[in-house]
Amino acid sequence: FPVTIPDPIDGIDNDNDGYLDNFRGWDVGDADNNPNYTPNDSYNSNHGVLMSGYIAATSDNNTGVAGIAYNAKYLPVKIVKSNEGWVRGYEGIVYAARKGAHFINCSWGGTTPTLFAQDALRYAVVDKGCVVFAAAGNSNNQTIVYPSGYEHTISVGASTVSNTKSSGSSYYRQVNIHAPGVNTYTTTGNSYGNIYRDWE
């Protein structure tokens, strides 16, 4: 049987979800259907590329790295607005939840909480049944980073190869678990490599 793409690139919102031609994720930052990493944009961090490699890189192909959930379906959602920075994170959470994501990874954050952001997380977790993971932060202090500090998130700090807290990882009451975050191997945009943190 032929594979049917819910919203192919044809200038029509075929699935009537309000997003034009979003056949492969969505760029909520620029409001278009291209969630790809663009290295020529100085504000477009490749952090999402690194995370997607850890999570969903294909296994058993003698190439690069195998993700820990390599059979998972991966939905790319870009939250960066070109030449401005990371500006649409919570809109990205809502988009992913609406599209049926089971797990949402948020490796970004800030120190100013808002009711809108907490409502977005409540919608994703309580209304849509998602599990949301959020980075604890890289400041080695007890300043709460959001979305990590909100209700309904699992806050993740960074650990070293010796299974201790990374010297740069933030720490506060809301941090739930730690995961490897120093000298790890993953996808890097157009290749593969070890990712070192400058605090180690």
Side-chain angles (χ1 to χ4, degrees):
F1 295 100
V3 175
T4 301
I5 299 174
D7 198 357
I9 299 180
D10 59 6
I12 301 170
D13 184 9
N14 293 274
D15 55 5
N16 295 310
D17 66 352
Y19 301 93
L20 185 64
D21 295 347
N22 59 321
F23 80 111
R24 189 179 296 159
W26 191 251
D27 177 355
V28 295
D30 291 316
D32 61 39
N33 70 334
N34 181 13
N36 294 330
Y37 164 59
T38 50
N40 60 334
D41 182 352
S42 61
Y43 286 93
N44 188 358
S45 168
N46 71 340
H47 203 69
V49 177
L50 308 179
M51 296 301 104
S52 62
Y54 292 131
I55 296 166
T58 302
S59 68
D60 296 327
N61 60 359
N62 295 315
T63 303
V65 62
I68 60 173
Y70 51 83
N71 284 325
K73 292 181 179 178
Y74 173 71
L75 175 67
V77 180
K78 182 179 162 196
I79 65 170
V80 175
K81 183 172 177 60
S82 296
N83 301 315
E84 288 189 24
W86 302 22
V87 296
R88 298 285 185 267
Y90 297 100
E91 291 86 346
I93 290 173
V94 170
Y95 175 84
R98 285 179 174 168
K99 300 308 286 185
H102 295 171
F103 303 95
I104 299 174
N105 179 68
C106 305
S107 297
W108 46 268
T111 57
T112 304
T114 67
L115 291 176
F116 165 75
Q118 181 64 85
D119 285 346
L121 285 160
R122 186 177 296 108
Y123 168 78
V125 175
V126 177
D127 295 347
K128 292 298 186 177
C130 303
V131 177
V132 178
F133 297 91
N138 303 325
S139 299
N140 191 32
N141 60 34
Q142 297 187 60
T143 300
I144 299 173
V145 173
Y146 300 92
S148 173
Y150 286 124
E151 294 179 3
H152 309 301
T153 62
I154 297 175
S155 174
V156 184
S159 61
T160 67
V161 293
S162 58
N163 202 28
T164 60
K165 184 188 87 66
S166 163
S167 62
S169 185
S170 299
Y171 54 96
Y172 40 88
R173 181 179 56 82
Q174 289 87 344
V175 178
N176 301 110
I177 59 175
H178 283 73
V182 178
N183 193 13
T184 52
Y185 195 77
T186 186
T187 49
T188 59
N190 59 2
S191 186
Y192 305 87
N194 283 307
I195 306 303
Y196 300 94
R197 297 298 187 189
D198 59 8
W199 55 76
E200 290 300 321

